[in-house]
């Protein structure tokens, strides 16, 4: 069995100004869980949603939120084990590739 995989989604209530017409961050978070659950056995995959406007009192989240604002990154932002894999509208292929690299197990 592979190691645990953590998928972090950073987003906000308000849709990114450059992402008009894109789904909201929470919708993307839920969509990702469903899409990944169909392709992979997800008992080793954990998900967390971080609201950029109210990040939890965890240093790594606060530092990353600062980076989002400093670098004007598009959100939602998806990280797999702290590796940035998607910004703005996520592409499943890119996320799946990172999950494969991290030992995710495909559904039978």
């Amino acid at each position: 069995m592979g190691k645990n995989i953590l998928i972090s989604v950073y987003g906000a209530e308000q849709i990114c100004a450059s992402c008009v017409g894109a789904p909201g961050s929470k919708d993307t978070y839920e969509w990702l869980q469903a899409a990944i659950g169909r392709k992979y056995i997800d008992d080793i995959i954990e998900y967390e949603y971080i609201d950029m406007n109210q990040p939890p009192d965890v240093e790594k989240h606060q530092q990353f939120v600062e980076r989002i604002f400093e670098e004007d990154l598009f959100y939602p932002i998806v990280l797999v084990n702290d590796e940035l894999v998607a910004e703005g509208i996520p592409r499943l292929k890119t996320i799946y590739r990172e999950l494969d690299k991290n030992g995710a197990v495909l559904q039978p």
Side-chain angles (χ1 to χ4, degrees):
M1 198 74 153
K3 58 186 190 295
N4 277 359
I5 298 170
L6 177 63
I7 296 176
S8 308
V9 177
Y10 287 82
E13 263 322 292
Q14 188 178 356
I15 291 179
C16 166
S18 303
C19 308
V20 173
S25 299
K26 272 277 200 218
D27 293 335
T28 299
Y29 173 69
E30 291 165 4
W31 168 75
L32 272 177
Q33 288 182 58
I36 290 167
R38 282 192 297 273
K39 184 169 171 96
Y40 295 94
I41 298 171
D42 62 0
D43 23 341
I44 63 160
I45 301 174
E46 291 178 55
Y47 300 88
E48 65 179 351
Y49 178 81
I50 298 94
D51 184 324
M52 297 172 3
N53 299 313
Q54 299 174 331
D57 201 13
V58 176
E59 192 172 338
K60 80 170 188 173
H61 294 316
Q62 296 196 338
Q63 287 176 342
F64 193 76
V65 166
E66 267 178 46
R67 180 180 161 199
I68 292 169
F69 290 117
E70 283 171 11
E71 297 178 20
D72 270 335
L73 299 175
F74 296 132
Y75 55 88
I77 294 172
V78 180
L79 280 72
V80 174
N81 288 344
D82 297 325
E83 189 68 38
L84 196 149
V85 293
E87 178 190 345
I89 301 171
R91 302 269 175 256
L92 282 174
K93 265 187 185 171
T94 313
I95 294 167
Y96 289 162
R97 208 173 16 247
E98 195 65 27
L99 287 172
D100 292 339
K101 268 201 308 197
N102 281 279
V105 181
L106 291 169
Q107 291 280 11

